[in-house]
C-alpha cells in the first residue's frame, strides 16, 4: 500500500502548481538567491533555471517537485502583496545599475536638457532590465520648485524596460540633496535639476523634514537588504545657517569630529536624535532607534570638513550645489548612496549586496523576524572572534599575537604577505638603444582580480601536510623556492625565459623565495600552473566559501563602464580608436571624470578596508581595535584578491615575454613599463590583424584590459636613476608625467 501512496504522491508532484515565470524570479531575488545557487541546489544547469524564469521552458519531474517546494517556501516568506519595491536581480546586476529613482531623475534631467536618457551604449546582461543612464546629461540651471514633491516640467514616458510601477514613491526625489542658502532662503538641490524649498530652521528640524517630506533615499540593492538612508550635503552657507563651523580646527580634524558639548549636538539630543560612535564629523549619521521595520536615519556629508577627499573626489567640494548634486547623484545611482569615504562605501556595498541575515516568519506569532542563521553567501552578522584568527593572516599588533616577544619581527614563514608588485631592474644594453619607455596600466585591476574569486565566508580550519586544492580558499605554508622562471609552462608547452629580467611572482619585491612562506590560494595555484609541484607543510583552509565579491565587482564594473561610455570611451573600440578616445577624456565632462575617479577609489579602498588597522583611540599592541568587531574585517579575502591580481599580471608578462622576447623594466602594482622603439603601446604590444596575443595584454576600457599610462624617453629614465644614484629606481611610479619626487635610494 505504501508503494501505491508513493506513486500517487509522485503523480501529484509531477503536476505541482507553479507560479508565473515573473513571480518565480521575484521570489528568488527577494531571498537574495542567484540563478547559479538555485541551479546547484536542484542539480540542473544555470540555463535551465533561466528558462524556467523566462517562461521558455517548464520544469519536469523530479526537479519540478523540488522547485515547487522551494517556491512555496519563498512565497510564505515573501508574499506578493508584501513586496514593497522592485528588487534587483542578485544573479546579474544590470550593466548600468541605476535605481528606479535614478531613472526618474534621468527623465527629469532629459526634460531640462533636451536629451534622452539612455544606457550609454551598454547592453544589459541576461535576465536583467536595462535602466536609463542617470549621469550623462548635465543639469539645467536650477529651478526652484514651489512644492517639496513637484518636479519641474511634465514627465515623459518611462524608458523601455523600466520596472513596472516606476520609481519607489518613497524616494521620488532621488537619493540625496545638497542644501544651500541663497538670498536668505534654504534650498535643497536634488538630482535631475530639482530644487526644493527647505522650511527647517534648525538641524533637528532639517533631519525631521528630510525623513517626513523630502522623499529622499534609495531602494535596496538586494532582496533581504534595506533601503539606503537619505544623504544631506551641507554647503558652507548651510553650515552657518544651522550653527555649525564652516571648517574644523586642527584639534577637531585630528579627532575627526566636533566636541560632544557643541550646542548643535545638544539640540539634537534634546530632540531625541542620536549620533553613531564616530560622533559629529564629516560623515555624521543622525538617527533614532528603529521601530519595527521603519528606520529613522539621515546621513550628512560636509565637504568643507574634508568629507570628499581630493585624492578621490578631485575638486567636487568646490562645485556649485546643483553640479555637486549631479556628481554625487551619478555615483549614488551607479554605485550606492555614499556612506562615508570611498573606502567605507566600498565596504558598505559588499554588505548591501550580501546582507548578513534575512527575514523569516515566526511560526507562533506569524510576524517576520530575523533568521537565526546567516544569509546564504554572506559573511554573517557576527564578527570572527579575534582569538580564532590564524596567526599568519593577521597584521602586527593583533590580539592573537599578544604573546610574541616585544620587538619580534615575523618572517615569511610566520606571516602572510600578499601585496602588489613594486619591482624594477636596470635596463639592458639593447633596451638602452631604444628611444622610449612606455607604461601600460590595468583597468580596475583589483576589481578584475576579485571577479569570480572563491573566498572564505567563515572561520578557518588548521590542517597539517594537506594536499593542495586550488579551489579551496585559504593560507598555505609551502616552499616555492624551487620554481625556476627560466623554464616554465605556458599553457601546455614549456618555454625558456631569461629569469634575470623577470620578477618572482611570489614576493612583492620580485625576489626569489628562500624557503617556506605563507601564500594565499591563487599564488600557490599559479606556482602549480607554471609546471611545478607544490607540497604544503600546513594550511588554514575555509570549507565555507563562495564567490562573495562577484556582485560587488559587477556593480562597480558597470558603474565604471557606463561612466566611461558617457565620456566617449566605449567598450567595443578598436585599439587605435581606444587610445584616441582616452586622450583627454576627463576634459569632456570634468564632473563625470570625478565619478570615474571615485569609482576606482571605491574598488581599492573597499578591499583595503577588509584589513583596517587601528586608528588611534588609545590603542596599544595586543589589544583589539574597533574594526575587528565587524564581520567584514577579513584580511584573508584582501590577501586572496591581491594574490590573484598579482599573479594575473605576472601571467600576462610571462606570455608576452615568451611570444615577443620583451621583458618589463618596472612594475608598480597594476602599471608595467616596457622599453619600446615607439611612444605608443601599439609599438610593442603584439597585435596581429587587430587581435591581441591570447592571454596577453589587450588595450581596452574593460576591467583587466590595459590603457596607456604614459611615455617618457629612455634618456629620461637613465638620467633620473643617475641623478638619484638609484640604478633600480621604480620608473613605473613616475612614468605618467615624468615628475620625480620622494625618491628613497636606500642610503
Amino acid at each position: 500500500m505504501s508503494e501505491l501512496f508513493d506513486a500517487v504522491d509522485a503523480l501529484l508532484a509531477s503536476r505541482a502548481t507553479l507560479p508565473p515565470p515573473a513571480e518565480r524570479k521575484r521570489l528568488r531575488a527577494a531571498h537574495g538567491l542567484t540563478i547559479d545557487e538555485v541551479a546547484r541546489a536542484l542539480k540542473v544547469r544555470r540555463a535551465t533555471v533561466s528558462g524556467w524564469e523566462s517562461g521558455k521552458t517548464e520544469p519536469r519531474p523530479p526537479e519540478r517537485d523540488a522547485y515547487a517546494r522551494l517556491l512555496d517556501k519563498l512565497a510564505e516568506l515573501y508574499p506578493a502583496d508584501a513586496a514593497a519595491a522592485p528588487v534587483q536581480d542578485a544573479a546579474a546586476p544590470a550593466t548600468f545599475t541605476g535605481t528606479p529613482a535614478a531613472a526618474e531623475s534621468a527623465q527629469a534631467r532629459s526634460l531640462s536638457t533636451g536629451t534622452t536618457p539612455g544606457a550609454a551604449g551598454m547592453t544589459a546582461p541576461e535576465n536583467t532590465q536595462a535602466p536609463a543612464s542617470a549621469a550623462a546629461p548635465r543639469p539645467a540651471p536650477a529651478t526652484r520648485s514651489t512644492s517639496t514633491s513637484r518636479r519641474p516640467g511634465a514627465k515623459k514616458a518611462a524608458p523601455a524596460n523600466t520596472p513596472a510601477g516606476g520609481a519607489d514613491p518613497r524616494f521620488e526625489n532621488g537619493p540625496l540633496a545638497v542644501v544651500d542658502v541663497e538670498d536668505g532662503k534654504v534650498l535643497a538641490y536634488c538630482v535631475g535639476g530639482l530644487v526644493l524649498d527647505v522650511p527647517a530652521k534648525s538641524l533637528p528640524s532639517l533631519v525631521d523634514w528630510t525623513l517626513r517630506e523630502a522623499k529622499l533615499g534609495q531602494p535596496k540593492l538586494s532582496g533581504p537588504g534595506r533601503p539606503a538612508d537619505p544623504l544631506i550635503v551641507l554647503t558652507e552657507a548651510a553650515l552657518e545657517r544651522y550653527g555649525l563651523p564652516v571648517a574644523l580646527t586642527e584639534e577637531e580634524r585630528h579627532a575627526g569630529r566636533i566636541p560632544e558639548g557643541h550646542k548643535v549636538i545638544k539640540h539634537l539630543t534634546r530632540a531625541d536624535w542620536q549620533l553613531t560612535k564616530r560622533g559629529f564629523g564629516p560623515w555624521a549619521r543622525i538617527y533614532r532607534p528603529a521601530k519595527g521595520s521603519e528606520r529613522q536615519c539621515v546621513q550628512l556629508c560636509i565637504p568643507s570638513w574634508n568629507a570628499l577627499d581630493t585624492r578621490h573626489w578631485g575638486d567636487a567640494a568646490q562645485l556649485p550645489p546643483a553640479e555637486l548634486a549631479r556628481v554625487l547623484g551619478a555615483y549614488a545611482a551607479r554605485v550606492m548612496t555614499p556612506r562615508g569615504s570611498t573606502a567605507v562605501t566600498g565596504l558598505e556595498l559588499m554588505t548591501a549586496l550580501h546582507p548578513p541575515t534575512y527575514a523569516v516568519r515566526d511560526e507562533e506569532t506569524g510576524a517576520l523576524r530575523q533568521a537565526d542563521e546567516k544569509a546564504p553567501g554572506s559573511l554573517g552578522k557576527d564578527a570572527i572572534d579575534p582569538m580564532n584568527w590564524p596567526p599568519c593572516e593577521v597584521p602586527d599588533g593583533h590580539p592573537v599575537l599578544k604573546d610574541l616577544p616585544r620587538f619580534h619581527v615575523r618572517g615569511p614563514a610566520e606571516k602572510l604577505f600578499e601585496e602588489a608588485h613594486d619591482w624594477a631592474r636596470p635596463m639592458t644594453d639593447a633596451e638602452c638603444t631604444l628611444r622610449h619607455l612606455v607604461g601600460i596600466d590595468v583597468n580596475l585591476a583589483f576589481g578584475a582580480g576579485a571577479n569570480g574569486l572563491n573566498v572564505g565566508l567563515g572561520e578557518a580550519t588548521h590542517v597539517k601536510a594537506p594536499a593542495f586544492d586550488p579551489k579551496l580558499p585559504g593560507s598555505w605554508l609551502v616552499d616555492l623556492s624551487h620554481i625556476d622562471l627560466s623554464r616554465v609552462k605556458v599553457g601546455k608547452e614549456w618555454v625558456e625565459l631569461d629569469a634575470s629580467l623577470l620578477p618572482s611572482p611570489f614576493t612583492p619585491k620580485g625576489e626569489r623565495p628562500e624557503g617556506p612562506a605563507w601564500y594565499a590560494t591563487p599564488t600557490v595555484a599559479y606556482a602549480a600552473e607554471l609546471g611545478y609541484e607544490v607540497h604544503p607543510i600546513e594550511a588554514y583552509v575555509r570549507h565555507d566559501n563562495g564567490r562573495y565579491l562577484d556582485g560587488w565587482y559587477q556593480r562597480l564594473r558597470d558603474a565604471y563602464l557606463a561612466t566611461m561610455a558617457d565620456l566617449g570611451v566605449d567598450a567595443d573600440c578598436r585599439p587605435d580608436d581606444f587610445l584616441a578616445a582616452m586622450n583627454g577624456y576627463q576634459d569632456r565632462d570634468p564632473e563625470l571624470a570625478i565619478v570615474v575617479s571615485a569609482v576606482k577609489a571605491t574598488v581599492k579602498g573597499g578591499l583595503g578596508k577588509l584589513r583596517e588597522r587601528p586608528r588611534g583611540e588609545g590603542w596599544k599592541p595586543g589589544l583589539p581595535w574597533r574594526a575587528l568587531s565587524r564581520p567584514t574585517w577579513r584580511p584573508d579575502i584582501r590577501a586572496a584578491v591581491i594574490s590573484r591580481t598579482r599573479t594575473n599580471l605576472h601571467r600576462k608578462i610571462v606570455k608576452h615575454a615568451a611570444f615577443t622576447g620583451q621583458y618589463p623594466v618596472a612594475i608598480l602594482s597594476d602599471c608595467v613599463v616596457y622599453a619600446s622603439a615607439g611612444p605608443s603601446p601599439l609599438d610593442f604590444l603584439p597585435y596581429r590583424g587587430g587581435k591581441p596575443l591570447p592571454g596577453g595584454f589587450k588595450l581596452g576600457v574593460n576591467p583587466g584590459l590595459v590603457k596607456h599610462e604614459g611615455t617618457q624617453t629612455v634618456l629620461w629614465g637613465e638620467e633620473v636613476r643617475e641623478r638619484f644614484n638609484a640604478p633600480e629606481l621604480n620608473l613605473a611610479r613616475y612614468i605618467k608625467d615624468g615628475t620625480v619626487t620622494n625618491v628613497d635610494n636606500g642610503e
Side-chain angles (χ1 to χ4, degrees), residues 309-383:
D309 192 322
T310 55
R311 294 172 298 174
H312 310 139
W313 290 100
D315 62 354
Q318 280 70 53
L319 291 174
E323 297 185 5
L324 179 56
R326 178 185 182 237
V327 169
L328 294 177
Y331 179 88
R334 290 177 170 174
V335 180
M336 70 179 298
T337 303
R339 293 285 304 272
S341 67
T342 50
V344 169
T345 304
L347 202 66
E348 291 289 340
L349 180 61
M350 296 179 194
T351 303
L353 293 170
H354 285 287
T357 186
Y358 58 95
V360 295
R361 196 169 295 281
D362 192 291
E363 295 182 359
E364 296 182 359
T365 66
L368 291 175
R369 62 174 179 82
Q370 285 190 346
D372 295 329
E373 68 274 10
K374 72 173 186 175
S378 78
L379 298 180
K381 58 184 177 180
D382 299 317

Side-chain angles (χ1 to χ4, degrees), residues 560 563-564 566-569 580-590 592-593 596-597 600 707 736:
Y560 175 73
T563 312
M564 290 299 291
D566 288 340
L567 288 165
V569 186
M582 286 294 293
N583 186 22
Y585 75 91
Q586 301 99 325
D587 299 330
R588 294 177 198 135
D589 191 330
L592 286 187
V596 170
S597 173
K600 293 193 289 187
K707 63 179 181 294
K736 189 167 189 175

Side-chain angles (χ1 to χ4, degrees), residues 188-521:
Y189 291 81
C190 306
V191 296
L194 175 67
V195 183
L196 306 177
D197 289 308
V198 181
K201 299 186 182 300
S202 67
L203 192 63
S205 60
L206 175 64
V207 174
D208 188 68
W209 171 84
T210 301
L211 293 171
R212 293 178 182 274
E213 301 180 45
K215 296 186 178 180
L216 297 174
Q218 193 173 35
K220 57 188 176 181
L221 296 181
S222 65
R226 58 177 177 80
D229 299 317
L231 173 65
I232 295 294
V233 185
L234 297 177
T235 66
E236 294 184 7
L239 292 172
E240 291 180 340
R241 169 61 65 93
Y242 293 120
L244 291 164
V246 170
L248 299 179
T249 65
E250 184 175 349
E251 182 179 352
E252 290 168 344
R253 284 198 304 271
H254 181 73
R257 66 188 75 183
I258 59 176
E260 294 184 5
H262 194 280
K263 63 179 181 179
V264 171
I265 297 180
K266 292 180 179 179
H267 292 164
L268 289 168
T269 302
R270 284 199 295 268
D272 295 328
W273 292 107
Q274 300 179 30
L275 295 166
T276 58
K277 291 182 180 179
R278 61 183 177 185
F280 202 122
W283 289 95
R285 292 185 67 77
I286 303 173
Y287 72 98
R288 286 176 180 150
K291 296 179 180 179
S293 61
E294 182 182 354
R295 286 173 54 86
Q296 297 187 76
C297 184
V298 173
Q299 176 81 59
L300 296 186
C301 168
I302 306 178
S304 66
W305 293 8
N306 199 33
L308 302 175
D309 192 322
T310 55
R311 294 172 298 174
H312 310 139
W313 290 100
D315 62 354
Q318 280 70 53
L319 291 174
E323 297 185 5
L324 179 56
R326 178 185 182 237
V327 169
L328 294 177
Y331 179 88
R334 290 177 170 174
V335 180
M336 70 179 298
T337 303
R339 293 285 304 272
S341 67
T342 50
V344 169
T345 304
L347 202 66
E348 291 289 340
L349 180 61
M350 296 179 194
T351 303
L353 293 170
H354 285 287
T357 186
Y358 58 95
V360 295
R361 196 169 295 281
D362 192 291
E363 295 182 359
E364 296 182 359
T365 66
L368 291 175
R369 62 174 179 82
Q370 285 190 346
D372 295 329
E373 68 274 10
K374 72 173 186 175
S378 78
L379 298 180
K381 58 184 177 180
D382 299 317
I384 294 176
D385 183 343
M387 301 311 293
N388 284 345
W389 273 102
C392 64
E393 292 182 346
V394 299
D396 294 337
H398 189 277
V400 81
L401 305 175
K402 61 183 178 64
D403 294 330
L404 286 179
R406 183 175 180 184
F407 296 108
H408 177 74
V409 177
R410 293 185 294 163
E414 300 171 280
K415 180 180 180 180
L416 178 68
F417 192 61
E418 294 283 11
E419 298 294 340
H421 265 317
D422 183 355
W423 169 88
R425 62 169 175 81
M427 283 184 275
T428 65
D429 292 342
E431 288 167 339
C432 288
T433 65
L434 301 175
R435 296 187 61 184
H436 301 279
L437 293 173
V438 183
I440 53 177
D441 181 79
V442 182
N443 300 311
L444 237 58
F446 294 101
N451 183 33
L453 179 63
N454 207 32
V455 300
L457 301 179
E459 296 190 7
T461 300
H462 188 212
V463 290
K464 291 282 190 178
F468 176 66
D469 182 353
K471 297 181 180 179
L472 189 59
S475 300
W476 310 77
L477 180 63
V478 57
D479 189 350
L480 301 181
S481 61
H482 63 290
I483 297 179
D484 184 4
L485 293 181
S486 63
R487 187 172 185 272
V488 297
K489 212 170 187 180
V490 177
K492 296 181 179 180
E493 298 181 0
W494 288 90
V495 298
E496 305 288 337
L497 300 172
D498 188 342
S500 66
L501 303 180
L502 282 172
S504 167
F506 310 123
T507 61
K509 291 293 185 181
E511 301 161 343
R512 186 167 178 169
E514 296 180 352
W518 286 99
Y519 303 100
T521 297

Side-chain angles (χ1 to χ4, degrees), residues 21 24 47-59 126-127:
R24 303 170 195 173
T48 302
V49 178
S50 179
W52 296 345
E53 291 189 354
S54 65
K56 294 179 180 178
T57 59
E58 287 294 315
E126 180 184 4
N127 291 334

